[in-house]
Amino acid sequence: MAFTVLAAVGIIVAAAVYTIVSGLQKNIAKARKTGLVYIVVPIDPINIVWQLTFFLWVPLIKLLPRSLWENWLFVMIPEWGYRTGQTHFDRLGAETFIVVSPTSLIMYTQSPEAIHQITQRRDAFPKEISRYEILDMFGKSVLTTEAGLWRVHRKVTSASFNEKNAAHTFAEAVNQTRGMLGMWFGGPDGERIGTTRTIKSLEHDTMTWALNIIGYVGFGLRLLWPGQTLPKDMDPKLAKYGSLDAPPGHSMTFADSVALTLERIVAILLFPDALLQLMPFKFAKEAYTAKRNYVRYMNEFLHEKVEETQSGQPRREGMDIMGQLVQSKYNNSPTPTKDKTTTTKDKTTTTKDSKLDDSDIIGNAFIMIVAGHETTANTLHFALVELANNPATQRRLQRDVDALLGEPDSDSISDPSAQRQWDYERVINPLLASHVGATVNETLRLMPPVTGIPKVVASDADQALTVDGRTHLLPAGMSITLLPVCVQRNPRWWPAAAGTSGEEKKNDMDEFLPERWYRSRDDDGSNNNNNNNNNNNRKDELAATAVEDKADYGGFQGSDVSASLYRPVRGSYLPFSDGPRSCLGRRIAMVEMAAALAVIFQRYSIELAVDEWVGDDAQVEAMGAAERRALYRRAQEKSRETLRLADSVLTLKLHGGRHVPVSYESYRKTDLELAIDEHLSENVSRYQMDPRFLDYFKSRARAGGSPVKKEALATLDMKPARRRAARVVEEIAAAVEPEDDNDEEAEEDEDESTSLTTQTAHAASDALARTPGRAMALASRLQLPATPAEVAQAVDRGALAVRARATSLYRDSGLGDAAQTTRAWLSTVHSVVSAIALFELYRLRQELLPDRYAFTVPAVRALGTPDYPVHLPDMFAVVTAGFWGPALTWALTSVLLPSLAGYFFNLSLGAAQQQAQSGGGRVVRSKAGGHPVAYAVDPVMFSIVKAVVTYVVYAQGVTLGGLINPDSVSRINSALYSGWKGVLVGTAVSGLTAVYDAVLRK
């Protein structure tokens, strides 16, 4: 028997090895023929099994010698492009390379030339829709189709994306942003409801903001913020979608069903409904309930739209995406179906110009909600966090908003003055050409919604691709991944925002610097004519090799970037993709985000919250300037570390409860300037010799007083916009390093008496100053000796720097986080039960897999060590009945039967349900004290049943109808510590632990 099993295993292994080796040889030959750089990996990196389990294998692979994995393992980790940027492209010395596995070929590229050709030649390089087929669960859509069928979907869906609807979206974005501010601050005047200024729900709130916009503009559904009410004259059919309470026939609101469907999208995509309904896990129940509610809502909405269309009712205001989709099928004058022949350069195809099915309508509606909701929300979320990280950029954005919009006239979008102020035709292009547009562009450059765009070489023929003057023949069927997140950080195609020049120019491609959008590649003062000529030549080559697809596929046809800003080389900036399959709603998205940033920063400023390190504001107020700077730097480091952990499911976002908290303060902008002025006046000796403030002191000497106070007095009758700003600039100063001293913004304002705010913010100063007048012009040129107070401050700064560095090294090591994570995991009932089971398994392993001599480590004379025999577990025992009999018996008695009993006789679930019913809510698993926890398997019942089964089987010899082998029982008793008595002790410990845990929660 054992020989037969071994022979079968050997045959299977041999066949697998042959398949792997032959497939690898064939694919390596194809890769060599292309002439591109290639690397070899053991498994397809986009294989679904690897994608779900890579986190288990990567640490094990890294235990091997580094030389065995350092050249290829990076590409096996999802989001490697976002994590590593240019690192591996620089090491390979190429902008395009091929990954070869036994089953696939994948080309990764960050070459603008290659990207432009691939995105324009739609028939030669179609979208790899096999990666999107899983999204067809709601029906086919414009995202999941290709060729002629895609044209049908594109034609129907693109009709709603026009400039008129962009204006409608702009107005609704202004309205919804005010609703979000009202929720944060309790009203338009900024008086927040609650006891804390910290906003921890930024990611969730921007998702709600975007959903409310697409819900109303795209589908005519008025969704509400907490505290809002629906208009009394609203259509009852639409009211149920915006209600804050679940309507009859539904167990959750429409907004909640959409949000939870997207949150649990992975489970919904991976598991069928029947399995989700049966799985005893919270995520499965939530996924099933959310999907069921969402599908029911959309079916009802579809039927209502069909009735409206067939009855001849006029279309609703806005994009009315669902109405447009329904009219394409159910209008009263249907277009006859006919065959349509399409001729391209490569081939001629005949497609059926058919209408969409009901499932296609719902599928497109789902994609429009996702595309018009999650992508925009995530970008706005990242933009707000980056602006909190970079106060200097935030100040410049606020000045541009003030210049374009002035003081907010009204909080009602329907007010005539507000309509004038927020007139779409008047303000949208200036906004997108200002620092508002630069901020949105820079956010999309660093964190595009999609980090990898999948394409594939057409399966009917090899395709030629010209890169850097060389033509490469790509094999048919090869996968291609375009990497926006890499090409958008390539210094070859982007200007540096820093003002340094020459070879020492700082590579700041990974930094958030919207100022780079005001520069060209040759305006940094460097004499780099050869490089500029090369770039011009590259543009000419790109234009020569590109095959422009001039067909009209609908949607916005203009550039993604304002003509007043830096225009990247075609193919080097593609947050919305490019070519025929570019995002339909990119104009809508830019309009939404510009409106939101303008509304928020017309009134308020945001900063990073520091609650994690300080208890209250009093502690911050008691700190010195250096301590505040160190504190804010710590918040910045934590924020940037959190952003680096962003990951993609549908789009790039923060997952797993990760978030960056932000806060606000009650200073107005002018109040802040005067407070800064007071601060510098009290610390003249500290700042008078600082070269960063010489221009300011000189301007004061010329003006004979404080330009800040003069500006404040001169503009009192201008009613400056109220804005929430940071509590003190010491907390903001850490956001900008000294390298920013030469920032172009300060240069632009050098001759203006009001340049102080810009210069000090960009120079990381603590405050603006009030100086004694002309005398400071002379004092600033005198090299005065340091005072004892300055010496003491220098010593304090040194000590603080050393302490901060030591703290940073400890924090960066991850030891603290690892210890806290381990402690949190071990501080549960399940960890105690698992530890007891692992101890039993350890004892049982010595009986079932005894150690056998393997080899001897020879003696080392230099160290004086003797020969050391090495013994390893006898793995051949796994194929014998002597192993499986006791192993299955232990698993049955110690794991399976107790788990089944703990699942069905679940006292914790009953208690939680009882409390939920008495409180009028639903069962919520909580780790907070005072709330019962509904365990999937009740640990007390698990321990009781395990004790009973152990005593009956191991002490009394009951065989359960012959199911238990007495020999297996005997071997288990001899292997376990103290036999069945030891097991009973373990169950007593785990049971008491569970009871103790329950008492603590009470």
Side-chain angles (χ1 to χ4, degrees), residues 888-889 892-893 953-954 958-969:
L888 293 177
T889 299
L892 177 67
T893 59
V953 173
Y954 296 100
V958 176
T959 62
L960 300 180
L963 184 62
I964 304 297
N965 188 327
D967 292 338
S968 298
V969 171

Side-chain angles (χ1 to χ4, degrees), residues 80-98:
W80 65 268
Y82 176 67
R83 302 276 188 270
T84 62
Q86 296 299 304
T87 302
H88 297 290
F89 285 102
D90 292 342
R91 181 176 57 81
L92 293 171
E95 292 184 338
T96 302
F97 65 91
I98 295 176

Side-chain angles (χ1 to χ4, degrees), residues 240-241 250 295-304:
K240 67 179 180 182
Y241 299 98
H250 297 272
V295 171
R296 185 174 298 172
Y297 275 119
M298 295 310 293
N299 282 325
E300 292 172 359
F301 194 39
L302 172 63
H303 293 153
E304 291 165 5

Side-chain angles (χ1 to χ4, degrees), residues 484-504:
V485 75
C486 293
V487 68
Q488 291 172 187
R489 299 185 185 215
N490 190 341
R492 185 179 181 187
W493 307 110
W494 292 87
T500 54
S501 62
E503 295 181 355
E504 297 181 355

Side-chain angles (χ1 to χ4, degrees), residues 77 128-129 158 160 180 235 256 404 459 729 754 808 820 833 835 860 989:
I77 302 174
E128 191 171 11
I129 59 175
S158 64
S160 299
M180 182 168 65
D235 186 344
D256 287 343
L404 290 172
S459 59
V729 175
T754 59
S808 176
Q820 291 298 326
V833 175
V860 180
V989 170

Side-chain angles (χ1 to χ4, degrees), residues 569-588:
V569 172
R570 188 74 179 271
S572 65
Y573 182 66
L574 54 159
F576 304 108
S577 190
D578 199 1
R581 296 215 59 143
S582 61
C583 176
L584 273 171
R586 63 185 190 273
R587 175 68 171 181
I588 300 290

